[in-house]
Amino acid sequence: MRVVIAEDSVLLREGLTRLLTDRGHDVVAGVGDGEALIKTITELDGRGELPDVVVADVRMPPTHTDEGVRAAVKLRKAHPGIGVLVLSQYVEERYATELLAGSSRGIGYLLKDRVAEVREFVDAVVRVAQGGTALDPEVVAQLLGRSRKQDVLAGLTPREREVLGLMAEGRTNSAIARQLVVSDGAVEKHVSNIFLKLGLSPSDGDHRRVLAVLTYLNS
């Protein structure tokens, strides 16, 4: 897996690099701001060496507001095949919404505290690089909480909302079944009901798992 890291904290950037390289992944570049990230990706593209995934801080110089996520959104538009995993100190709904409102492939939003859980973090990076989704449970909880206020998910039962939250964390049906201590068949039935109630047809393919969580973002 080829990775580019965009993080203005040198210590954290080096730490992320070490975590990934120790597990056999190739960190091809590390930058400290959004402009450098865009420039680096453009240069790699020119050499036919685009990374599989970009790990970027939401807030980077010069203003430390939204440079990182702005660069991530721009990259998604120019290179939709690159996975993007953003890191944030806190759950920032506006930035999460902006990033997640586009294509559902290869997207992740994790709180920085999650980096300390090394295995989970590396698994999330790999999942995003492979076109999957990795959403921090806290991000899911806040976004689902807002969606309930908007009545977007009003038709779901409490159990279906619980299953939906676990789906958004990137868990498989089997993993959800183990977490809830129910059968795989029960989870499959809940997932089917979620798709039906949110109007997601079979033509949406595998991405219905992500679209089920993101439907309310465009409401």
Side-chain angles (χ1 to χ4, degrees):
M1 181 176 68
R2 291 167 52 80
V3 186
V4 169
I5 297 174
E7 166 60 57
D8 62 296
S9 167
V10 176
L11 287 177
L12 182 54
R13 187 166 71 236
E14 292 300 319
L16 294 174
T17 299
R18 181 67 179 271
L19 286 179
L20 294 168
T21 55
D22 281 354
R23 285 155 182 79
H25 303 298
D26 185 13
V27 178
V28 297
V31 299
D33 60 71
E35 184 177 340
L37 174 58
I38 296 297
K39 180 179 179 181
T40 296
I41 296 299
T42 300
E43 292 174 350
L44 290 172
D45 185 29
R47 300 199 297 266
E49 301 174 353
L50 283 174
D52 299 300
V53 61
V54 169
V55 179
D57 191 357
V58 166
R59 298 186 175 194
M60 289 195 291
T63 68
H64 292 280
T65 54
D66 60 358
E67 282 84 357
V69 75
R70 292 288 183 191
V73 171
K74 186 174 181 179
L75 285 178
R76 290 289 296 176
K77 292 179 180 178
H79 306 285
I82 299 178
V84 174
L85 174 62
V86 298
L87 301 176
S88 179
Q89 192 68 42
Y90 310 101
V91 178
E92 301 178 83
E93 292 184 13
R94 179 167 64 89
Y95 299 147
T97 300
E98 184 170 8
L99 182 66
L100 298 171
S103 170
S104 59
R105 284 187 57 82
I107 285 291
Y109 190 114
L110 296 181
L111 297 184
K112 287 188 174 181
D113 288 347
R114 200 67 58 187
V115 176
E117 300 170 13
V118 176
R119 182 176 177 180
E120 289 188 19
F121 171 72
V122 176
D123 285 349
V125 177
V126 172
R127 187 159 65 247
V128 170
Q130 294 174 341
T133 304
L135 299 182
D136 194 284
E138 290 296 323
V139 175
V140 173
Q142 288 203 27
L143 293 181
L144 288 179
R146 186 183 69 175
S147 71
R148 283 196 292 271
K149 293 177 182 178
Q150 296 174 340
D151 292 329
V152 177
L153 305 181
L156 301 185
T157 67
R159 176 62 91 180
E160 288 166 353
R161 288 174 179 167
E162 189 173 13
V163 169
L164 180 55
L166 293 171
M167 286 166 55
E169 292 174 25
R171 305 198 192 201
T172 63
N173 284 3
S174 295
I176 294 172
R178 289 193 298 271
Q179 176 72 19
L180 300 179
V181 194
V182 298
S183 69
D184 286 2
V187 173
E188 290 175 5
K189 183 175 180 180
H190 288 313
V191 172
S192 295
N193 287 339
I194 290 168
F195 292 158
L196 179 64
K197 291 178 179 179
L198 295 184
L200 299 173
S201 68
S203 63
D204 291 315
D206 293 338
H207 299 308
R208 288 192 297 174
R209 296 183 72 85
V210 178
L211 292 173
V213 179
L214 303 182
T215 295
Y216 68 93
L217 292 176
N218 294 320
S219 65

